[in-house]
Amino acid sequence: MTVPESQAAITDRSAHLEGAEDAVLRCDELIAGYLPGVNILNGSDLYVKEGELIGIIGPNGAGKSTLLKAIFGLVNIRSGTVLLKGENITNMKAHSLVSRGVGYVPQTNNVFPSLTIEENLEMGAFQVPGKFKERFEFVAELFPALKERRKQRAGSLSGGERQMVAMARALMTEPSVLLLDEPSAGLSPKLQDLVFIQAQQINKAGVTIIMVEQNARRCLQICHRGYVLDQGRNAYTGTGQQLANDPKVIELYLGTLAKA
Amino acid sequence: MDWLTILSTTVHAAIGWETVVYGLAAIGVNIHFGYTGLLNFGQAAFMAVAGYGLAVTVVVFNLPFVVGVLVGLAAAALLALLMGIPTLQLRADYLAIVTIAAAEIIRLVFRSVYFKDIFGGSDGRRGFNGDFYAMNFLYDPGRYGIGPFGFDERTMWLLTVGWAVVLLCCLVVFLLMRSPWGRVLKAIREDEDAVRALGKNVFAYKMQSLMLGGIIGCFGGFFYGLYNGSVQPDVFGTEMTFFAYTIVILGGAARVFGPVVGAMIFWVLFVFVGNLLAELVANGYIPFMTNIQVGPVRYALVGLGFILLLVARPQGIFGDKREIAIDAR
Amino acid sequence: GGGSNTATQTSPSAPASSAAPATKGDGTLTLGTLLPQTGSLAFLGPPEFAGVDLALKEINEAGGVLGKPVAKIDTDSGDTTTNIASQSVDKLLAQKADAIIGAASSSVSESVIDKITGAGVVHFSPANTSDVFTTINDRGLYFRTSPPDKLQGRVLGDLIVADGNDTVAILAMQDSYGTGLADQVQKTVTDGGAEVVERVDYDPKAADFSADVAKVKAKNPKGIVLIGFEETSKVVQELVKQGLPADKHKWYMVDGNTSNTNYVKMPKGTLTGVKGTIPGAAAPEDFQKKLLEVNKDLEDFSYAPESYDAANLIALAAEAAKSDAGTDIATKLGEVSKGGEKCKSFKECVDLLKAGKDIDYDGVSGPVEFNDAGDPAVATIGIYQYGDDNKYPIKALEYRTGNIAG
Amino acid sequence: MNGAKIAVTTEGGQPVKEATTNAQGIWDVQVEQPGKYKVTLDVGSLPQNAEVRGGNNVRTPTVYEGNCSTVLFALQPKAAPGQAPQSDGGTTFWQQAAQLTFEGVNLGLIIALGALGLSLIYGTTGLTNFAHGELITLGAVIAYAFNVGFGIQLIPAAIIAVIVAGALGYGQDRLFWGQLRKRGTGTIAMMIISIGVAILLRNLLQFFFGPQTENFNDYVTQPGITVGPITAAPKNFWAIGIELTVLVIVGIALMKTRTGKAARAVADNPALAASSGINVDRVIRIIWTAGAAIAALAGVMLGLSQSLKFTMGQDILLLIFAGVTLGGLGTAFGALVGSLVVGVFIQVSTLWVPPELKSVGALAVLIIVLLFRPQGILGRRERIG
Amino acid sequence: MRDDTMTASAKAAALAAFKDMAREPGVPKPDPILVVDKVVRRFGGLTAVDVDHVEVQRGSITALIGPNGAGKTTFFNQLTGFDTADAGAWTFNGRAMNGVPAHRVARSGMVRTFQLTKALSRLTVMENMRLGAQHQVGESFWHALLPPLWRKQEDEITERAEELLARFKLDAKRDDFAGSLSGGQRKLLEMARALMVRPELVMLDEPMAGVNPALTQSLLGHVKDLRQQGMTVLFVEHDMDMVRDISDWVIVMAQGMVIAEGPPSTIMSDERVIDAYLGAHHDAPLSESELEAQLHEAEAALEAEIEEETQK
Ligand SMILES: Nc1ncnc2c1ncn2[C@@H]1O[C@H](COP(=O)(O)OP(=O)(O)OP(=O)(O)O)[C@@H](O)[C@H]1O
Ligand SMILES: Nc1ncnc2c1ncn2[C@@H]1O[C@H](COP(=O)(O)OP(=O)(O)OP(=O)(O)O)[C@@H](O)[C@H]1O
Ligand SMILES: [Mg+2]
Ligand SMILES: [Mg+2]
């Protein structure tokens, strides 16, 4: 990927972490990767305050998904720390994070193909089985298609339907921090709207959200703050509005299509 | 302690006929499984039809040796066709069990009393290797080698031909797998549908792969029969195939020399452990063990050896750790 | 092929055989064993090893061979599914074995006979029953003391007919031992006027034998012949289960499964009246006691007598040939087994030999007289009958001795 | 049968001797030379109401040197003209078919137990465990140790064995397979490692248990009872009951319970399962425990219905694989259905094929079914695209 | 880089062809490359595809849109031989294609990509690309053994692949395993690989889902180039900006059926399409206040809907 040519645009670290003192979730200089010797994250920083909705955008292969996975304990962090409400959760196992109130929707492979829709959602509420009924009604209202098909195996669903299941699965619990990896991808415009609106609503209800999106404009519109990730580093930070209107960001990451 | 015997038998095993036979079987498996992703667990059947094709032609029909070899090859090719047509459309793990089943069927038929007149029942057939050794133009009778390491002229002849075939097969694999043809095979291993979508006839390539691997394995069957002077049905059981797979993984899947080196390791481990243990027991170093217990303990240790080798290097000797790290799921 | 005369009998199609290095004896008779420690025939291993061990013990107690104690190297023959036998032979040859006792399985023997005899070493099997070895090109070095199928089959067949079984079913293990014996029984029984209404060759490794027994049941035979090894206990269970017990049908067993240990757990009377044939003139009890001194864990005694005799014969032949070289031993094996003063143990025989006499060793497994092919020519078959305790007594009902060939 | 006349001639027809049977119906002829002879029974000398079975009154025995040779003329009451000969007391085709079907179910259920354990472990971890046969043997051997070694009755011994085997299964995953997974060992490498484990275990079993065949102390050689066309030992009926119960319970548990669903979720996608809050390692350990325990039960059942030997698991492993695959990989009820089909086919096919080839019939059926249903009987096709 | 005027001319040509066409489902096209008739595919009780008649104009860029689960992917599967239709017939270039196996379909010039990407994981990105090329001498067994026979062609293929990779911003990943690509990169590879085939008709299933907008934009230029070269493009996409930007014609599917056809501008104001698919707010607002307003509106609508449901 091309490095943003104006290195000056990259604010120094302290800027990323400005106001990070009372953050719910905070990452410091994460270095992580899949293969030995190849780092994908090269010192990313990030923090979210209670009740914030932040967006992460960036080119393909920048490491956005890797960042979320690293936070969630699915990629080995080689150095750096992740703090959740002051507790060090670096490399903690995913299921323990779930019990600490973190939820996650992966970008790919985000359903259990041989389980039915209903069972997929049940897995979403795995740690709070008592809540299943109530939450199921809730998500079924959001995505009526899912309720009709509750006995269909997720493996036979269309791409968009899977995405709905994935999103719904994360909504089955009421996490305090929600990590969403491209939740709107593959959804019809109508449902994309719904996803963004829901994200905002959940956020308003007090859930902290970190959202990775390629539907970058939409994302920046609704988020409080945004990070632009490039080559495993934070390239830009700012409020959603600032980033959405920054010409450099537009040129490098947003494109002008939607404007035209 | 007879270290010399332990050493010499170990060295013999490393370059001996076992390595040739299992190496060839494993080269075939490597083409099937390592490159094409076909979980063919019926490799022993290819060796069996080859061995029996040769034996029955020569012994029962009294035809010349060369005809026997041709019949063996044809039988292997035919088997690939018969086995492939119904099974190549199956998912990898289903293919595995169907090929095991096919191989077992073949073994049981070779073994049966019902067909004893042709295949010789559980004792198999013998007496078809005279012509092969008569063709020996390289070695006069005598012993060839240095000190305790050496073979007689018959073994030398077999090993010369055997290793020539092994190297030739390696060369063919090397050439093929660097070519676009090999690329299609590797692509099929990863995702058949993607390859279909790019206009390649997946079935045809799988069939070619099955045939090629089967025919290479079939040379293993020939050499088995030629060395031992006989073929028996139980030799070609599932064990043979399992060992071939173990060899492929030990050496490193989808590596040209993986199977050959894997076969060497396999047999060195087998012979070294066995003979060392036998000597230790015979000389009273392991007082609590009797001589009869050497057999099972040796196998147990060999099993342990495989486990440790693969735990230490799951990608095999030549394998690439990166390849393993890519989740195939 | 085969025979006591090496040079002249080798066939011209195998030029290499003449090159078999004529091992000059190194003074010590070294016996190699190639017997199953692992694999599907592993249960045959312990008694066979014990037989050889017992013989060796007695030989060495009697002063050894050619003035030196006999050495022994044990190796595993595995079964045919692995190529362990070939490895073992390599090791034995590397350690200069003069004679190799093994293998239990005919198939395994077939796969190594070329290698062993090609090295000028005696290949002596205590258990091979396949016809192949009679005609195989063995450079005169292959011998066996194995149970003589043909005679046993005839004796058993005759017994069945004499007991008035006009309908007979045969359940035979499907390998060269089982089918060979079954063929002989079938022929004798048919010739004798009874009808073989069902012949089932079963796979000894099968998960279950109910179908095989059901086939027998369908024909409701008067006599049922069980030919096999220890898996017979499964067949017996199945027979009882399906309503073909020994008190309603007459059962017959052979040396492979006539056992005093395999069925003792069964309810009393399960085997009452069942008859079994075992080669050998002597009641096996004494011999078995001695074996138990060698290996106290023995549960089965199949082929122990044959192995014991094999070791004794080799030692005697070496002593007679005054050489421990394989080819020399082979030339004398026939001589010591027949025609001369009868003797029954190594010590007895070797004393006669030293006194310059011609001897005729009569073993535990039978009189053992080798014919030209290296096969035993005469044998004695004992007929035993089980009692209420599912064991057979020391004393046989009768012994029949006869020529094997015919 | 007194007074029947018998003539002995040489093969060529040269008369040798004649004899007449005594009161017991026995006769005796001394011949000088070994060789083939011809023995003819004079049918006319038989009592009015008797005839030779099979009708043939000539026998050609071969007499060998030093041995006597027996000849038998079995007699039967003469059938009145037009009346069919008496039935010989055997079973009819349909009785046999019924019996074989029963035997098939009997065997199929044992296979199914083995298959269930295998399928559970395969399903959750993707491991094709070639050492599963040894787990079966192990279960049987542990039960044997308690039953015969410590003299505990078989039922408690079996329960202990199942518990111990479950614990061993747990330990196996805890100490071995789990560690391998943690290191990221691929499923193929694990499969080959399992071959190593199989070799190791089998030979250790031989070392400790010995190479011979053994039986439990209890329920050996139970005489059969006849129920309709079927004859079977009471233990068979008990075994079938226990097997079915276990299979159904486990199958339902897998479908309905939380852990069961979690197990299927882990099978599908371990990373996502973890993301849903499932403790993947714990689930896999439960499955290993259950799988090994069920395998042990299969071993006990196999030992009970047959005998124990250190290769018993290995010998049945192929059938287990066939059952699992035939039913559809990774589905619990598939394992049951597939195994039953395999079991029944093995047994019933012997109506037509020689028993030595009975596995051939079952394996051929496997191939044929997969031709038409490449995903197995209960398996589902995957979606493309 | 592309020649704007030329692209424009191709677009003009395409548009001209569509100019006076009726805006109804199944309308005949003057020069159809693909003609589909009565294709039906059912899964159990669900009719996933039930297309009565549809034609795709040669040399055009046609978008296929529709709500999730409308049957678009399943429709692709039928056409390309990856699934067997329960009924129906279709012709490509005048040749009947039903029952033709997938690889033959691809060879005849109709190539598709997969929505759920199929990267060939343990092949490098470059090998993935090379595999796409057709008529390779070295792909026959015997020729493969003699490298001189295929070396030259291989070099040409490599060159072409490199160009495409550069365009798709994958050149840096050239020698990495495809299995190590990120979600978006896989999409890119999937499309680039399909283009290696040089098909007449390329069928892209959501090619840009998950691809960075800036890159999407530059790739659209490439797609327009393809049209320029005479290629026909049929693509499924949920990104309306993209549909609007490049498509000449839009086909709308819902519940397996084609419910509307027309040029992008008309379609997007079609009541039924908005209803079934676009929703009220597909023209995303850019300002905070507007968004707020919309949010409330949406909420209200949702609530109303919910109420309706509960009342039922
Ligand atoms: N499993 C993996 N093994 C090795 N490398 C990987 C793996 N997954 C991703 N990568 C590499 O890590 C880098 C970042 O990937 P990541 O998935 O985090 O990107 P991303 O920012 O989410 O991109 P996209 O927007 O396309 O989803 C990529 O260059 C990719 O090649
Ligand atoms: N193999 C299958 N078994 C059962 N139902 C299926 C199968 N494949 C697809 N379906 C159903 O058919 C319908 C159409 O699916 P399809 O994938 O074609 O939708 P799509 O239009 O591509 O949707 P998306 O935009 O979400 O990708 C969906 O409702 C899906 O659940
Ligand atoms: Mg991503
Ligand atoms: Mg789709």
Side-chain angles (χ1 to χ4, degrees), chain B residues 27-28 30-31 35 165-183 185-186 212 216 254-260 318, chain E residues 127 138 141-148 150-151 154:
Chain B
I27 293 175
N30 196 27
I31 293 175
Y35 290 105
V165 172
V166 168
L167 293 180
L168 188 73
C169 290
C170 284
L171 179 71
V172 167
V173 171
F174 173 77
L175 284 174
L176 283 174
M177 294 310 159
R178 272 167 21 121
S179 75
W181 187 83
R183 183 160 64 217
L185 289 200
K186 287 185 256 178
L212 178 66
I216 290 180
R255 293 291 177 277
V256 173
F257 282 106
V260 181
F318 290 133
Chain E
E127 298 239 275
F141 179 83
W142 298 110
H143 292 165
L145 288 167
L146 299 169
W150 47 264
R151 266 286 143 65
E154 185 87 346

Side-chain angles (χ1 to χ4, degrees), chain C residues 218-287:
Chain C
K219 297 289 168 52
N220 193 30
K222 274 197 189 148
I224 300 175
V225 189
L226 306 174
I227 300 174
F229 287 125
E230 44 145 35
E231 83 288 342
T232 304
S233 74
K234 300 188 199 178
V235 180
V236 165
Q237 293 207 40
E238 205 55 57
L239 286 167
V240 173
K241 180 188 111 184
Q242 293 198 23
L244 301 167
D247 52 9
K248 290 201 197 124
H249 301 257
K250 286 185 181 142
W251 296 356
Y252 298 88
M253 293 186 179
V254 293
D255 61 324
N257 52 13
T258 304
S259 158
N260 265 346
T261 49
N262 285 358
Y263 316 107
V264 284
K265 276 199 199 145
M266 294 180 177
K268 275 206 171 358
T270 306
L271 292 187
T272 308
V274 173
K275 288 178 183 166
T277 50
I278 301 178
E285 199 83 351
D286 259 359
F287 179 64

Side-chain angles (χ1 to χ4, degrees), chain A residues 75-152:
Chain A
V75 174
N76 195 28
I77 296 174
R78 293 179 180 151
S79 85
T81 51
V82 185
L83 299 179
L84 178 74
K85 295 170 189 152
E87 186 189 5
N88 189 341
I89 59 160
T90 318
N91 284 332
M92 191 177 273
K93 283 204 174 140
H95 66 89
S96 343
L97 291 177
V98 174
S99 52
R100 284 173 173 72
V102 186
Y104 170 58
V105 182
Q107 178 179 7
T108 50
N109 293 331
N110 45 19
V111 295
F112 299 110
S114 68
L115 269 55
T116 63
I117 292 179
E118 189 171 3
E119 285 167 341
N120 261 279
L121 300 183
E122 230 172 288
M123 288 303 112
F126 187 74
Q127 296 195 343
V128 279
K131 281 202 168 173
F132 173 73
K133 275 225 165 70
E134 169 201 334
R135 297 300 294 175
F136 182 75
E137 287 308 316
F138 170 71
V139 298
E141 274 157 19
L142 285 184
F143 304 107
L146 298 188
K147 194 171 180 183
E148 287 165 25
R149 306 273 190 87
R150 59 200 289 172
K151 296 281 179 227
Q152 189 175 349

Side-chain angles (χ1 to χ4, degrees), chain A residues 1 58 60-61 158-161 182 186-191 193 197 200-201 214 218 221 252-258, chain E residues 46 68-69 115-116 169 182 184-185 206 210 212-214 217 238 241 245 275 277-278 281 284-286 295 298-299:
Chain A
M1 302 298 101
N60 296 114
S158 81
E161 287 163 345
E182 306 203 12
L187 291 178
S188 72
K190 195 172 166 182
L191 288 173
D193 282 347
I197 290 167
Q200 254 189 331
Q201 275 185 341
Q214 287 300 3
R218 257 327 196 18
Q221 276 162 18
L252 286 172
Y253 307 111
L254 298 183
T256 52
L257 196 60
Chain E
L46 178 92
N68 296 116
Q115 180 179 11
L116 304 172
K169 295 239 165 99
S182 77
Q185 287 169 332
E206 297 197 24
N212 182 265
Q217 196 167 358
H238 291 303
D241 296 327
D245 184 65
D275 226 42
Y277 180 56
L278 295 173
H281 317 290
L286 294 176
L295 248 170
E299 269 166 44

Side-chain angles (χ1 to χ4, degrees), chain D residues 306-329:
Chain D
Q306 304 283 308
S307 293
L308 291 84
K309 193 177 176 181
F310 73 102
T311 54
M312 61 194 280
Q314 183 195 16
D315 289 343
I316 205 174
L317 187 65
L318 179 62
L319 299 180
I320 291 178
F321 273 114
V324 171
T325 319
L326 188 58
L329 288 170

Side-chain angles (χ1 to χ4, degrees), chain D residues 119-130:
Chain D
S119 162
L120 282 177
I121 293 169
Y122 173 83
T124 32
T125 62
L127 168 69
T128 312
N129 187 11
F130 281 107

